[in-house]
Amino acid sequence: MANSTSQHPLAAQPRHSKLLRYIVIVLLVLIILVGLAVLITWLVIKPRRIVYTVEKASIKHYSLTKNHLNATFEFSIAASNPSSKISIYYDSIKASVKIMKYFETSKTTIASEVVDPFFQPHRNVTTLDLKLIAQNMPLSGTDYKDIAHARTSGEIEIKVSLDARVRFKVGMLKSRKRTLHIRCYPLIVSFSRPKNFDPRNCSTSER
């Protein structure tokens, strides 16, 4: 009679343990290599935050009649890109103005403008000259009172927002489009003395 032999199930466990150990080691090595690649890339590129500053602000052609506003809001906003290797494509930008009172922002946009797309090289400062026009803009009772009071006091507190679709460029590589939110507030703008405006840095967020 021929003898038949079969491997005991416990004998296969060491092989499985070794295979599992190899898989874990390979995964750890891959994670370390990816981490090193990211660190080296960051050290080479040295990304730095883009700084946006409202350098000038003025109001022209102002009139307020029967809860309707006519005015031209002019701003010079400097976009400073200090990075030595990152350039930026601004594919679309929308600028808007809202009234503020005691650091609270009105829900109503009183003027807006679409800014032309542009490319910003590395180590560059680009100045955006914006002209946002409120033409026969209807106001709520609260906004009307706030603007009328501001005109009497000689200064108005406003918030300028820029929402931009951007792409970052490093060498030949370009990132996917991202949305950059730029918020400049509070801006204290004089109706009669625009040269007295104090420049203000803007906050930024990205998604």
Side-chain angles (χ1 to χ4, degrees):
M1 178 181 294
N3 292 329
S4 61
T5 58
S6 61
Q7 188 178 23
H8 195 276
L10 293 177
Q13 288 185 359
R15 293 182 181 177
H16 292 161
S17 297
K18 288 182 179 180
L19 179 61
L20 181 60
R21 208 162 34 236
Y22 290 148
I23 292 174
V24 171
I25 291 172
V26 170
L27 289 175
L28 287 175
V29 170
L30 287 175
I31 291 172
I32 292 172
L33 290 175
V34 170
L36 286 173
V38 172
L39 177 61
I40 291 170
T41 301
W42 186 86
L43 290 173
V44 170
I45 296 175
K46 293 182 180 178
R48 298 175 64 185
R49 188 173 67 91
I50 309 164
V51 179
Y52 299 90
T53 306
V54 182
E55 297 185 329
K56 297 178 183 178
S58 63
I59 303 173
K60 298 179 180 178
H61 313 301
Y62 168 87
S63 69
L64 186 63
T65 308
K66 294 182 180 179
N67 285 32
H68 284 73
L69 172 67
N70 288 281
T72 300
F73 299 87
E74 296 185 354
F75 305 97
S76 290
I77 301 179
S80 175
N81 176 18
S83 295
S84 60
K85 291 183 170 57
I86 300 177
S87 303
I88 310 159
Y89 289 94
Y90 291 84
D91 293 321
S92 65
I93 310 175
K94 182 178 180 181
S96 60
V97 175
K98 290 185 178 181
I99 306 165
M100 296 190 70
K101 185 178 181 181
Y102 305 126
F103 297 96
E104 293 186 2
T105 308
S106 168
K107 296 180 180 179
T108 305
T109 297
I110 58 175
S112 62
E113 178 192 18
V114 175
V115 183
D116 291 335
F118 67 95
F119 172 76
Q120 183 175 28
H122 53 80
R123 287 182 177 170
N124 170 268
V125 177
T126 298
T127 300
L128 303 176
D129 291 316
L130 308 179
K131 183 181 290 187
L132 286 69
I133 299 174
Q135 187 171 8
N136 205 30
M137 174 63 65
L139 302 173
S140 66
T142 300
D143 288 342
Y144 175 82
K145 290 179 182 178
D146 289 344
I147 292 179
H149 181 267
R151 183 66 183 93
T152 301
S153 68
E155 294 180 337
I156 189 170
E157 184 178 347
I158 58 179
K159 175 180 181 179
V160 176
S161 299
L162 301 175
D163 296 298
R165 293 286 285 169
V166 301
R167 290 173 294 149
F168 299 100
K169 181 176 181 288
V170 181
M172 300 300 294
L173 300 177
K174 297 177 185 177
S175 72
R176 64 181 178 85
K177 285 188 179 182
R178 304 183 65 85
T179 301
L180 189 62
H181 301 290
I182 305 162
R183 301 293 181 259
C184 312
Y185 68 95
L187 304 179
I188 309 300
V189 184
S190 171
F191 284 91
S192 57
R193 300 185 305 277
K195 291 184 179 180
N196 292 350
F197 176 77
D198 293 325
R200 176 171 288 274
N201 288 341
C202 307
S203 63
T204 58
S205 61
E206 185 183 327
R207 64 174 178 85

